[in-house]
Amino acid sequence: MRKYKVAIAGATGAVGREMIKVLEQREFPVGELVPLASERSEGQMLEFGGDEVVVRRLKPDSFAGVDIALFSPGATVSREFAPHAARAGAVVIDNSSAFRMEPDCPLVVPEVNPRDVELALKPGGRRIIANPNCSTIQLVVVLKPLHDHAGLEKVIVSTYQSVSGAGQKGVDELETQARALFSLGELKNEKFPHRIAFNLLPEIGKDSGNGYTEEEMKMVNESRKILGLPGLAVSATCVRVPVFYCHSEAAHLFFQRPITPDQAREILRKAPGVKVVDDLKEHIYPMPLLGVGEDETLVGRIRADLTAPNGLALFVVSDNLRKGAATNAVQIAELLTREHADKLSAPA
């Protein structure tokens, strides 16, 4: 079996560490792992495959001989260094927002639009593939099979997003505030604009100028691009909740043609990457506690929407660090090795 030289930019961050874990768990054929990070992380040791690998400083010349470069260092760093990796011959899979809406960079969820990767690989292509926003990924894996059956027209979605979506600092802030509340200590908020412990913040990202936040507009624009539905009506409200891991979403979907809850369950049971968890009488439904560490997107509470014909309401949960980030990126890499291995010959 051919093995690949894989670089991870942002290797010491929460998503970067999860990428390393997912590569190992899914037995991706890594011949050499190149963990890259900022100067302050240079020299750290990370475990992979039973060995320790040293973290190197991310530099323009870090990608010689690299076949696949997984990026998760943030949009600013990705914009600077991803083109260097691509020019060196690597195919970049970038987890930031840097390239998602650029027309010559495909935005890919393998269960939904795998063929879009070809845009990045064609002669003269940028060799950069964008990994979608975490909250978008879990939504579109549910939307696509239902759309194929009934023709999706409108989506109204509210998210309940865990603090790990804001990185390790978000996790630390929730833990610190919860401990302080129980011990009557002093509360500080640094990562979030208000206290997150035992609170909800209906603000994720900056104001986009239209009353919606950046996170909400990501869901609008990315869903349209991934599904190939530029006119799809989408409205989102994104809320940060005091949960450590897993994003949850309550979605109301409206279709051109009739679709019953039972039909939706049957369709989703057959959908790749989706697990139906739906028995309200037995108190069985998707919850963050069930989604942590899982690669499948959980869907339940499937029922008819009462406000309009041809409508469904449902609840979706997914691990934002795995399927929402690391796993989706590794799945794109697997797609490349499976169907486009001839495009992964980086010059030494």
Side-chain angles (χ1 to χ4, degrees):
M1 177 187 292
R2 178 180 171 184
K3 293 185 179 294
Y4 298 88
K5 186 173 182 179
V6 179
I8 299 183
T12 58
V15 174
R17 291 176 184 272
E18 198 68 26
M19 285 175 169
I20 293 173
K21 185 189 301 183
V22 171
L23 285 169
E24 187 166 4
Q25 290 176 343
R26 294 178 70 92
E27 298 182 346
F28 189 85
V30 178
E32 180 183 354
L33 185 72
V34 184
L36 303 167
S38 64
E39 183 178 7
R40 66 177 180 275
S41 297
E42 186 176 11
Q44 285 189 28
M45 304 300 292
L46 298 174
E47 290 188 11
F48 179 74
D51 295 321
E52 288 192 330
V53 288
V54 63
V55 176
R56 308 177 193 177
R57 183 179 176 183
L58 176 62
K59 298 185 292 185
D61 61 356
S62 295
F63 302 96
V66 169
D67 297 295
I68 296 172
L70 304 177
F71 267 66
S72 191
T76 300
V77 178
S78 287
R79 287 191 192 98
E80 179 179 356
F81 288 95
H84 289 293
R87 282 194 291 270
V91 176
V92 175
I93 302 168
D94 180 53
N95 192 59
S96 79
S97 62
F99 306 101
R100 288 175 184 160
M101 297 312 300
E102 296 191 5
D104 56 350
C105 286
L107 184 65
V108 175
V109 178
E111 296 92 337
V112 178
N113 59 333
R115 294 192 61 181
D116 285 8
V117 300
E118 297 170 8
L119 175 64
L121 304 176
K122 67 180 183 179
R126 291 181 69 179
R127 298 181 72 81
I128 298 174
I129 300 168
N131 210 35
N133 187 41
C134 47
S135 52
T136 304
I137 290 174
Q138 68 187 73
L139 182 64
V140 296
V141 295
V142 173
L143 295 184
K144 179 61 162 63
L146 299 177
H147 166 67
D148 289 345
H149 177 84
L152 191 62
E153 286 191 328
K154 182 168 70 173
V155 178
I156 299 174
V157 59
S158 297
T159 73
Y160 311 86
Q161 296 181 222
S162 66
V163 294
S164 56
Q168 188 60 43
K169 290 182 179 179
V171 173
D172 293 343
E173 188 151 310
L174 173 57
E175 180 179 2
T176 300
Q177 289 181 356
R179 291 180 183 276
L181 281 169
F182 282 116
S183 62
L184 302 179
E186 181 183 0
L187 265 72
K188 296 180 180 179
N189 52 280
E190 298 175 352
K191 182 63 180 179
F192 302 112
H194 303 281
R195 193 185 95 190
I196 185 61
F198 309 105
N199 194 22
L200 303 177
L201 306 181
E203 176 190 1
I204 302 179
K206 298 177 182 178
D207 183 352
S208 288
N210 61 353
Y212 286 80
T213 65
E214 289 179 344
E215 185 81 1
E216 290 159 354
M217 293 311 300
K218 286 176 186 177
M219 295 196 72
V220 173
N221 296 322
E222 292 179 21
S223 296
R224 291 170 173 169
K225 182 175 180 178
I226 295 165
L227 293 168
L229 298 172
L232 181 64
V234 184
S235 182
T237 300
C238 293
V239 183
R240 187 74 71 191
V241 299
V243 170
F244 285 112
Y245 301 102
C246 284
H247 292 349
S248 304
E249 298 174 351
H252 295 257
L253 316 177
F254 303 92
F255 299 89
Q256 299 169 10
R257 300 179 293 277
I259 181 171
T260 68
D262 283 341
Q263 287 175 321
R265 290 186 194 95
E266 187 61 27
I267 291 166
L268 291 170
R269 286 190 183 102
K270 298 175 182 178
V274 176
K275 182 178 181 180
V276 176
V277 182
D278 195 18
D279 191 341
L280 182 58
K281 291 181 180 178
E282 297 298 324
H283 316 294
I284 295 172
Y285 30 70
M287 299 181 293
L289 286 174
L290 297 179
V292 172
E294 299 294 326
D295 288 333
E296 291 179 307
T297 294
L298 310 182
V299 59
R301 295 300 320 280
I302 302 169
R303 59 206 188 274
D305 184 275
L306 300 179
T307 67
N310 304 343
L312 291 174
L314 45 79
F315 197 70
V316 181
V317 170
S318 188
D319 189 320
N320 54 293
L321 293 184
R322 290 187 67 92
K323 181 54 182 171
T327 298
N328 198 75
V330 173
Q331 286 177 311
I332 295 171
E334 291 170 344
L335 173 65
L336 294 174
T337 62
R338 186 170 62 247
E339 300 185 15
H340 305 282
D342 59 318
K343 306 293 198 320
L344 298 177
S345 301

